[in-house]
Amino acid sequence: MSYQEARERYAALGVDTDEAMKRLVEAPVSLHCWQGDDVRGFDTDPTKPLTGGIQTTGNYPGRARTPQELMEDLDVVLSLCPGKKKINLHASYAIFDEENPWVDRDRLEPRHFKKWVDFCRARGLGADFNPTFFSHPKCDPLTLSSPHEQTRRFFIEHGKACIRIASYLARELGQPCVMNIWTGDGFKDIPADRMGPRVRYREALDEILSEPFDFEWVKPCIESKVFGIGVEAYTVGSAEFALSYAAMNRDRCIPLMDNGHYHPTEMVSDKIPALLAFFPEIALHVTRPIRWDSDHVVLFDDETREICKEIVRCGGLDGSVKIALDYFDASINRVSAWTVGLRNTQKALLHALVTPNEAFSRLQDEGRFTELMVRQEEMKTMPFGEIWDEYCRRCGVPVEGAWFERVMAYERDVLAKRV
Ligand code: RNT
Ligand code: ZN
């Protein structure tokens, strides 16, 4: 079947596939820099393990060890994925050199990210940003919720520095910068005081967000989490905490949902319209949890499709839903991991855009549930692959089945030599 034939099949359902592609190509997806080096960053000893309740597993050869290597790898991913992208940076990816020697996280400045600005600008990309409240010797192990004034002060200053850096990224690149706050603060076992850390966290967030910024350009988010490795019993930034904070601070903060951060039967797809009924903007970390927050590579699976359906149906592609990827697999080729996840996110968004959503909601409103089920099932065998391939062609990237060899060649020529 050709694209033309597939297009007609969709047109018969009232779906304009060309229009769908035009809409998708304008909607940014933020690509996380941390898949390329197993979340190690450049500002601490790379031989130290990750802390803060996150974990990579695997030791596939070819991890990026320097900013140059990470950028080279990102370029390969960008060349293989359709659509508009942003680069999502963590503060731990500051670039130090002779002119800008190492400083601790409370002293970070925009100039430590100038090379990232150059990278993004040369490729027409926006950037998002994250303060790094984990994998640092000053985690005691708590950060913003620590009972120790000195620890809290250090990380609050870090948060404020990050607001200044986020403003710089937005200004330099001419696109808003989403700045996400996540801490792994929590306890392995039953706490004696659940409220104290939360009150301290709330106060610390207030202080960070008292740093002046323009909410049109800098979008601070707060990300919740149900539990993590080593913090099984209690997390300070629970769902209720994060959502309440965002709700009470709507003029300077938006909620962020990571679909690995809930109980396994909870679905973030369903939470998207719930939040959008109250918040003009929300942010997402798209990932794939297996039994827990395992951060597996995003697949074209049921929940990814459902999340993307909700984004599209709720009008989220107009910018009200900030989409970012968040996973890290060290057991397979990292360039491939990045590419699979980003292509699948684009694929799921396109899939949602070529669904006759309005006709289907009419069936729902008219109570025609028998037909709704049948029509929704029929969508599953539509020739979507043709539409996707055509979108890839129009974006100038390889169609399905035509990119893996390029990654393997890159592995042979570049990654395998990183020993
Ligand atoms: C961790 C959170 C957080 C991190 C990144 C690196 O569970 O999902 O978003 O993955 O900040
Ligand atoms: Zn996340």
Side-chain angles (χ1 to χ4, degrees):
M1 182 180 279
S2 67
Y3 171 64
Q4 283 314 320
E5 287 169 306
R7 181 174 179 261
E8 280 161 31
R9 290 275 311 274
Y10 280 92
L13 302 175
V15 172
D16 183 339
T17 50
D18 295 320
E19 190 53 38
M21 293 184 215
K22 274 192 213 141
R23 280 179 64 196
L24 183 54
V25 89
E26 290 304 321
V29 173
S30 198
L31 183 64
H32 56 314
C33 75
W34 51 91
Q35 164 61 69
D37 75 330
D38 313 338
V39 209
R40 293 185 202 211
F42 309 127
D43 75 335
T44 47
D45 181 351
T47 60
K48 292 268 165 65
L50 276 179
T51 63
I54 54 176
Q55 188 70 64
T56 50
T57 51
N59 194 21
Y60 199 85
R63 175 179 78 79
R65 298 157 304 178
T66 62
Q68 291 68 30
E69 289 181 351
L70 192 61
M71 288 176 185
E72 259 178 67
D73 296 355
L74 275 167
D75 266 333
V76 179
V77 179
L78 295 171
S79 76
L80 299 177
C81 297
K84 186 166 170 178
K85 302 109 182 164
K86 294 174 92 179
I87 301 291
N88 203 0
L89 299 168
H90 242 284
S92 52
Y93 290 77
I95 300 181
F96 303 112
D97 54 24
E98 267 167 36
E99 270 169 54
N100 300 294
W102 180 88
V103 293
D104 213 341
R105 290 184 190 165
D106 58 335
R107 299 281 170 82
L108 284 171
E109 288 179 42
R111 61 197 167 93
H112 300 115
F113 293 87
K114 171 153 192 320
K115 287 189 178 150
W116 282 114
V117 163
D118 295 342
F119 176 86
C120 290
R121 190 183 283 134
R123 290 155 186 77
L125 305 168
D128 293 323
F129 199 58
N130 304 256
T132 312
F133 297 110
F134 54 84
S135 300
H136 189 279
K138 289 206 163 70
C139 300
D140 70 15
L142 303 184
T143 64
L144 293 175
S145 71
S146 168
H148 307 296
E149 166 70 22
Q150 261 183 333
T151 304
R152 251 174 14 248
R153 194 62 5 241
F154 174 80
F155 285 107
I156 289 169
E157 289 312 319
H158 175 53
K160 291 177 147 192
C162 287
I163 291 209
R164 297 190 289 269
I165 294 161
S167 303
Y168 160 79
L169 294 172
R171 196 172 56 240
E172 292 294 316
L173 298 170
Q175 293 184 39
C177 176
V178 175
M179 194 201 88
N180 177 48
I181 297 177
W182 171 77
T183 82
D185 289 18
F187 294 117
K188 182 184 175 77
D189 226 319
I190 317 300
D193 173 13
R194 291 186 149 94
M195 180 138 170
R198 287 185 175 139
V199 170
R200 290 191 292 268
Y201 188 20
R202 190 195 73 212
E203 288 169 357
L205 289 170
D206 286 347
E207 270 200 67
I208 292 173
L209 298 183
S210 73
E211 180 70 24
F213 65 93
D214 181 346
F215 193 40
E216 286 296 308
W217 288 92
V218 175
K219 301 285 179 188
C221 305
I222 163 145
E223 177 182 15
S224 67
K225 184 160 174 171
V226 62
F227 80 94
I229 292 186
V231 293
E232 289 85 357
Y234 164 89
T235 55
V236 183
S238 60
E240 293 73 17
F241 176 93
L243 205 48
S244 304
Y245 191 87
M248 301 294 284
N249 294 275
R250 292 168 52 115
D251 57 338
R252 61 197 131 136
C253 185
I254 66 178
L256 185 146
M257 295 189 290
D258 178 312
N259 63 303
H261 290 191
Y262 297 84
H263 291 285
T265 58
E266 280 184 83
M267 291 296 155
V268 160
S269 49
D270 181 66
K271 298 175 195 291
I272 292 169
L275 261 55
L276 285 173
F278 296 93
F279 292 95
E281 295 175 306
I282 65 167
L284 298 177
H285 273 180
V286 181
T287 184
R288 178 166 54 106
I290 296 196
R291 305 185 202 292
W292 69 290
D293 180 43
S294 58
D295 288 294
H296 280 64
V297 177
V298 171
L299 300 182
F300 188 62
D301 59 11
D302 286 350
E303 178 59 358
T304 305
R305 286 202 301 270
E306 211 57 29
I307 286 174
C308 291
K309 252 194 236 168
E310 290 303 337
I311 295 171
V312 165
R313 298 197 286 214
C314 299
L317 290 187
D318 65 2
S320 55
V321 179
K322 325 282 179 207
I323 310 167
L325 305 184
D326 181 16
Y327 57 81
F328 24 93
D329 192 336
S331 76
I332 56 177
N333 179 300
R334 294 170 187 81
V335 171
S336 183
W338 249 328
T339 306
V340 169
L342 180 49
R343 284 179 66 101
N344 279 332
T345 306
Q346 285 276 320
K347 207 184 286 169
L349 287 168
L350 185 63
H351 188 259
L353 282 163
V354 298
T355 301
N357 293 307
E358 281 165 27
F360 285 1
S361 39
R362 262 199 311 279
L363 290 178
Q364 173 177 318
D365 290 346
E366 291 166 7
R368 294 157 65 185
F369 298 112
T370 310
E371 183 173 354
L372 178 58
M373 178 192 282
V374 172
R375 299 291 175 225
Q376 285 185 319
E377 285 302 292
E378 282 169 358
M379 291 313 294
K380 295 183 180 170
T381 50
M382 286 290 284
F384 174 68
E386 293 303 325
I387 313 292
W388 167 245
D389 280 350
E390 177 65 14
Y391 177 66
C392 290
R393 279 190 290 269
R394 289 185 190 180
C395 291
V397 303
V399 297
E400 212 56 28
W403 60 265
F404 184 63
E405 287 64 33
R406 293 209 208 165
V407 173
M408 285 299 103
Y410 185 69
E411 174 169 305
R412 218 172 31 245
D413 300 342
V414 180
L415 300 178
K417 297 187 177 140
R418 292 179 189 166
V419 279

